[in-house]
Amino acid sequence: MNSERLSGMITAEDEKQWDGQGYANGWEHYADELRLLDYRLQRLYYSRKKRMDAWRDDPYQGMFVSEEEFLGLIAGMENDWANDPEAAALLEQLEDLERAIAHRIAVSVQAGVNLPLQTVAHTFGLRAQERGFLMMALAVELDRKYERVFGFLQDDLTCKHPNAGLLIQLNCRNAADMLEVRDVLAMSSPLSKYFLYKDEADTAPAKSFLSQPIVLNRRMVRLLLDGIASEPSDSVKRVTQRFNSGSPLEPLRVDEALQEQLQTFVRSMYAPERATRKRLAFHIWGPSGSGKTLHAKHCCHAFGKSALIADVAGMLLAERPFAELLDDVLREAILQQAVLCFTHMEALFPEEADAAARHKLRSFLHSLNSYGGLLFLLAYKQIKLSGDMKDRWVIDLELKVPETEEREALWKSFAAEARISDSVDWRVIGDKFRFTAGQIQRAISLAQSFTEWTRAGRLAAVNSEAFSDDIDEQALYKACFMQVQHRLEKKASRIQAKYTWEDVILPGEQKEQLRNACNQMKYRSVVYGQWGFERKLAYGKGLSMLFAGPPGTGKTMSAQVVAQELQLELYKIDLSQVISKYIGETEKNLHEIFHEARLSNAILFFDETDALFGKRSEVKDSHDKYANIETAYLLQKMEEYDGISVLATNLLGNIDEAFIRRINYIIKFPFPDADYREKIWRSMFPKEAPIGDDVDFKLIASKFSIAGGGIKNIAVSAAFLAADAGTPILMKHLLLAVKHELLKTGKLMTRDELDFF
């Protein structure tokens, strides 16, 4: 082959025309790149020419390897053009064109001309070798002749895309180049992760690395041809959302100083005068509604950057492989030049991680280590990332629940914006519910919807058009409880509080103690906050009560009265789910109970606590030792809890003195005397229940020493007996129910009581 026959040879006129001239557009640039590719193809053809001539007449070409072909293959390409004038001329032409293209690109970039190939290479940080491979893979999209050329050079006309081996032959001139190519085409390289189409069939183990076809992703083809990125795939859309820097932004209502520090830190780390820039990741964690995503948005907005927010939990549940979807999300962030923000990071750290979960975590960390942009990693709880993030500073930021005064201010602020009249004591609500700003906002919105729904029903009934901006307090509490996310049901059962002060029959002293206990919770913000007592107490700001008395004397009912008065959830602890014979399990269960209760500020009601809160024994064996540890641990958790703990016992004498010192209120429930029993008897029957004229509550109360719990059972049983007889509730029904109750409990009746029947 003569040098004159080389198509597209660079002439003196070409060099004169290119001198100081850039490209007018990307298509001019692609024309030169294709011309450069032609030179490389000719060079490769020249290196194969002698061997091809020897095999041209072989009818079995490609079906077996002849001795001549074997010797040619192992001799290498350099032997084919060494000391060959035509090969040297071809190589010189190729290098001249490479320099000319590089010069014209530099001039074009300086002039502000958009060259898609150059822009994409710069955006994704591609090296020169990767950029060259990208152009060769794009050639089949610019001119279909390359489909046949590549098929011819690969001895297979069905292969219309270059494979790794062909790219190596076209670009590599020595062994060092070949080693670099393997890094360029590795699965973790930017070229493979963001640009190449992935087909599991083509990457089967039966295929060698060199035979893998290099096919561009269709979305990246459009970007390279049109200069614009098409819409991402549906799978990416489902797990991401974009925040544009110009979009409306919610104000930060708390932690403004933290946001200012965050912006100052980012500004200093990315300052132009800084010699070296450290890659950054901000791990922001805190409860729902604490403003994690909002802080990331504010930081991006301050620097005029968009944010791509990806839901890790959604990615883990997607049908597509997690690693593949993650690469698409990373590519999307690079394409949009957006700051990448991952939410629900705790999903990657399950409590009991299996092999699949650990593999996904490793894939995630590996991909992030190769990603150079700023990262926001958001989670509900703190996760350990510093040791796994190579060459990146991980800044750990905790967003806490606002203090009581801040919560009150937030409630008032959101209520004013929602045009809700100041008919609610926001101080009490703020003190009762330890909510974040986001939870408060959602509770206000939900309460409005509940109120309007209730009001619409009333207006429809009375056909009135009068509206009020007052929020229904019951609707507000309902909305607040809906914001509470906890798992107390695993170890406790919720009791729906229905009783009020009128329902509980107790002496005045006990009722006064209960009211004082409720007031301690109502006015805690005044005493601890406004009056400064919080500074004097490191812990122990909660309320603990001990209800002691015989069965049926009203302990559980009184707990419901407190819950109803304070509008708090009441959970009865199932001791069978708490106490464990295994060492350490009881403490673990107690920790979980108090942790979940802290999320809801619920009232914890420990009934029949003699077994769990008994006297600490003398240590005689290992069992005694660990039993005492459990007791001490419970004391600690009760003191740390800011809510209400109610302990109920039938035997006050069994409670350890250490408990007695630490309990705020000890309320003794006496066995009711005849007068109180009569009140209890009368209170047990609803006004709708038909009572016979012969019923004498005073007589029954004086004759039978039965506590309130037993009286309740008797009243219900007598009502069913009367309903079966089709008569009002008569004295004989009550007496028969009393007899059944006494026999059930095994109580011995006196002669007086027997004569009464």
Side-chain angles (χ1 to χ4, degrees):
M1 179 171 58
N2 299 322
S3 59
E4 289 81 1
R5 293 173 54 196
L6 297 178
S7 61
M9 180 176 291
I10 302 175
T11 64
E13 288 75 12
D14 291 332
E15 294 179 351
K16 183 177 180 181
Q17 181 183 356
W18 292 342
D19 188 23
Q21 182 179 344
Y23 294 111
N25 51 55
W27 292 105
E28 281 191 10
H29 174 219
Y30 283 142
D32 271 359
E33 291 286 355
L34 293 179
R35 193 175 180 184
L36 180 62
L37 176 58
D38 288 342
Y39 272 108
R40 289 186 172 134
L41 291 169
Q42 290 177 40
R43 178 173 176 266
L44 177 60
Y45 176 80
Y46 187 87
S47 69
R48 294 184 177 183
K49 185 174 183 302
K50 293 180 180 179
R51 292 196 300 272
M52 292 175 64
D53 288 342
W55 304 333
R56 191 179 304 278
D57 297 329
D58 186 354
Y60 300 103
Q61 177 187 349
M63 299 179 65
F64 78 103
V65 180
S66 66
E67 182 178 354
E68 291 80 4
E69 182 180 358
F70 170 74
L71 292 174
L73 290 172
I74 66 173
M77 293 184 295
E78 296 296 334
N79 293 336
D80 292 326
W81 58 71
N83 303 318
D84 189 319
E86 288 191 51
L90 180 58
L91 182 58
E92 183 180 354
Q93 290 284 323
L94 189 150
E95 292 175 343
D96 288 344
L97 184 54
E98 286 178 340
R99 287 191 293 270
I101 291 175
H103 172 72
R104 297 190 71 185
I105 288 175
V107 174
S108 303
V109 171
Q110 189 173 2
V113 178
N114 178 33
L115 303 179
L117 179 63
Q118 192 66 18
T119 301
V120 168
H122 175 74
T123 300
F124 285 87
L126 300 182
R127 295 172 290 178
Q129 190 80 278
E130 293 171 313
R131 177 185 167 280
F133 281 13
L134 187 60
M135 181 62 217
M136 291 181 188
L138 182 65
V140 294
E141 306 290 344
L142 295 169
D143 193 334
R144 291 199 61 187
K145 77 174 185 180
Y146 292 104
E147 293 181 355
R148 295 182 59 81
V149 171
F150 292 151
F152 170 75
L153 291 174
Q154 295 171 139
D155 291 330
D156 186 353
L157 290 179
T158 63
C159 296
K160 299 181 179 181
H161 297 272
N163 59 27
L166 181 59
L167 292 185
I168 289 175
Q169 293 178 38
L170 288 170
N171 289 270
C172 298
R173 300 176 185 176
N174 50 52
D177 289 346
M178 292 184 182
L179 289 175
E180 184 179 353
V181 166
R182 288 195 171 267
D183 291 336
V184 169
L185 295 178
M187 293 298 294
S188 59
S189 69
L191 186 65
S192 294
K193 290 174 63 173
Y194 305 138
F195 290 91
L196 300 187
Y197 171 76
K198 299 176 179 65
D199 187 351
E200 293 184 1
D202 285 335
T203 58
K207 285 197 172 186
S208 67
F209 169 77
L210 296 178
S211 63
Q212 302 296 336
I214 308 301
V215 184
L216 290 182
N217 179 281
R218 301 308 305 170
R219 188 157 181 250
M220 304 309 289
V221 169
R222 180 175 178 185
L223 177 64
L224 289 165
L225 295 182
D226 301 335
I228 57 173
S230 59
E231 287 292 312
S233 63
D234 291 340
S235 58
V236 173
K237 286 182 180 179
R238 281 192 287 267
V239 297
T240 61
Q241 59 175 321
R242 175 169 177 161
F243 166 73
N244 295 314
S245 58
S247 300
L249 194 59
E250 285 257 346
L252 278 174
R253 301 175 187 269
V254 292
D255 296 319
E256 292 92 342
L258 178 63
Q259 177 63 211
E260 186 176 343
Q261 181 181 359
L262 178 61
Q263 293 181 20
T264 302
F265 181 75
V266 173
R267 189 176 292 109
S268 64
M269 293 301 297
Y270 288 97
E273 63 272 11
R274 194 177 185 91
T276 57
R277 295 183 180 179
K278 195 73 175 178
R279 296 191 301 167
L280 298 178
F282 291 98
H283 171 38
I284 306 178
W285 59 283
S288 174
S290 57
K292 300 182 290 291
T293 306
L294 190 59
H295 270 285
K297 289 180 178 180
H298 270 270
C299 185
C300 294
H301 179 78
F303 296 99
K305 298 287 290 183
S306 299
L308 184 67
I309 304 170
D311 180 7
V312 173
M315 293 170 64
L316 290 170
L317 295 174
E319 294 181 359
R320 290 184 61 191
F322 177 74
E324 184 179 315
L325 183 57
L326 176 61
D327 286 346
D328 283 358
V329 170
L330 293 173
R331 178 176 62 195
E332 195 61 33
I334 297 172
L335 282 174
Q336 297 182 13
Q337 290 292 279
V339 174
L340 191 51
C341 176
F342 287 103
T343 63
H344 300 110
M345 280 289 297
E346 68 280 350
L348 281 169
F349 297 83
E351 292 183 3
E352 298 181 1
D354 54 13
R358 290 191 293 269
H359 175 72
K360 290 176 181 178
L361 177 59
R362 285 195 299 269
S363 297
F364 182 82
L365 295 173
H366 180 74
S367 294
L368 290 196
N369 285 333
S370 62
Y371 177 77
L374 178 64
L375 288 172
F376 283 93
L377 308 173
L378 314 182
Y380 290 135
K381 62 181 181 180
Q382 186 180 27
I383 52 181
K384 302 299 182 182
L385 286 168
S386 301
D388 299 312
M389 305 291 282
K390 297 178 182 177
D391 302 323
R392 191 186 293 270
W393 282 355
V394 180
I395 309 300
D396 190 277
L397 303 174
E398 180 185 5
L399 300 182
K400 299 180 180 179
V401 174
E403 296 297 331
T404 304
E405 293 182 0
E406 287 183 300
R407 294 200 298 272
E408 179 184 351
L410 286 169
W411 278 107
K412 290 181 178 179
S413 174
F414 282 118
E417 292 177 9
R419 299 182 179 178
I420 298 174
S421 65
D422 199 13
S423 59
V424 178
D425 191 342
W426 300 114
R427 176 187 58 79
V428 174
I429 297 294
D431 183 53
K432 193 172 296 182
F433 296 100
R434 300 180 71 253
F435 280 177
T436 60
Q439 288 176 308
I440 292 173
Q441 186 179 33
R442 290 194 294 267
I444 289 285
S445 178
L446 273 175
Q448 282 184 295
S449 66
F450 295 153
T451 300
E452 291 300 325
W453 172 255
T454 304
R455 186 176 295 141
R458 294 172 181 169
L459 293 176
V462 301
N463 195 23
S464 171
E465 295 184 359
F467 283 89
S468 169
D469 61 353
D470 289 345
I471 195 170
D472 184 82
E473 192 166 354
Q474 289 297 116
L476 179 60
Y477 276 100
K478 179 181 177 181
C480 287
F481 288 131
M482 290 185 69
Q483 300 306 307
V484 176
Q485 302 292 330
H486 60 74
R487 297 178 296 174
L488 271 173
E489 291 83 358
K490 292 178 63 178
K491 296 288 190 297
S493 57
R494 183 179 178 183
I495 299 178
Q496 189 69 37
K498 297 181 179 179
Y499 296 113
T500 62
W501 293 109
E502 290 73 23
D503 297 314
V504 63
I505 308 299
L506 284 174
E509 181 182 349
Q510 279 76 7
K511 270 197 172 183
E512 184 180 0
Q513 284 182 294
L514 285 174
R515 290 187 185 277
N516 290 338
C518 292
N519 290 335
Q520 182 167 328
M521 294 303 293
K522 286 182 180 179
Y523 301 106
R524 59 187 294 177
S525 62
V526 175
V527 175
Y528 292 142
Q530 297 178 18
W531 294 0
F533 275 83
E534 188 170 16
R535 297 192 302 272
K536 300 293 183 180
L537 300 173
Y539 57 89
K541 296 189 286 288
L543 174 64
S544 57
M545 293 186 287
L546 174 64
F547 294 170
T553 51
K555 298 186 292 295
T556 303
M557 178 183 285
S558 297
Q560 293 187 49
V561 170
V562 173
Q564 178 76 359
E565 174 71 12
L566 298 175
Q567 291 288 300
L568 291 174
E569 291 181 309
L570 174 63
Y571 278 88
K572 182 179 179 180
I573 308 303
D574 185 357
L575 291 180
S576 66
Q577 298 293 320
V578 175
I579 300 176
S580 174
K581 64 180 180 180
Y582 298 105
I583 294 173
E585 282 297 310
T586 302
E587 292 92 327
K588 180 181 176 182
N589 293 334
L590 288 171
H591 172 79
E592 184 177 350
I593 287 172
F594 281 99
H595 173 74
E596 296 298 329
R598 190 173 292 110
L599 299 176
S600 63
N601 204 28
I603 299 175
L604 298 180
F605 179 61
F606 294 85
D607 197 10
E608 305 291 344
T609 57
D610 303 273
L612 187 60
F613 305 127
K615 286 187 177 181
R616 288 180 284 186
S617 61
E618 180 183 353
V619 178
K620 297 179 180 178
D621 56 28
S622 60
H623 296 286
D624 295 333
K625 173 184 176 182
Y626 286 108
N628 290 344
I629 291 175
E630 292 172 358
T631 304
Y633 185 80
L634 176 64
L635 285 171
Q636 173 191 336
K637 302 308 291 184
M638 288 177 61
E639 289 182 324
E640 292 175 355
Y641 184 47
D642 287 339
I644 301 177
S645 302
V646 180
L647 319 176
T649 180
N650 298 331
L651 300 171
L652 181 61
N654 283 358
I655 303 298
D656 190 275
E657 292 181 2
F659 279 101
I660 302 296
R661 290 198 310 271
R662 290 169 170 81
I663 292 173
N664 300 113
Y665 289 89
I666 298 177
I667 302 175
K668 300 177 182 178
F669 287 72
F671 193 90
D673 58 19
D675 291 337
Y676 278 104
R677 288 201 299 271
E678 181 183 353
K679 293 179 181 179
I680 295 173
W681 274 105
R682 295 184 183 279
S683 68
M684 285 299 172
F685 292 90
K687 62 181 180 180
E688 298 88 356
I691 306 296
D693 294 335
D694 65 335
V695 172
D696 189 343
F697 288 122
K698 185 173 183 180
L699 178 63
I700 297 178
S702 62
K703 287 291 183 180
F704 300 101
S705 298
I706 302 174
I711 293 174
K712 178 189 69 174
N713 294 337
I714 294 169
V716 174
S717 179
F720 277 105
L721 290 172
D724 179 58
T727 64
I729 302 172
L730 303 176
M731 190 69 169
K732 64 178 182 179
H733 300 137
L734 291 174
L735 293 175
L736 184 57
V738 167
K739 185 177 182 180
H740 290 164
E741 181 69 17
L742 293 176
L743 290 173
K744 181 185 73 174
T745 57
K747 181 180 178 181
L748 297 176
M749 289 180 284
T750 64
R751 180 180 297 276
D752 229 8
E753 292 172 338
L754 288 171
D755 292 343
F756 194 78
F757 290 109

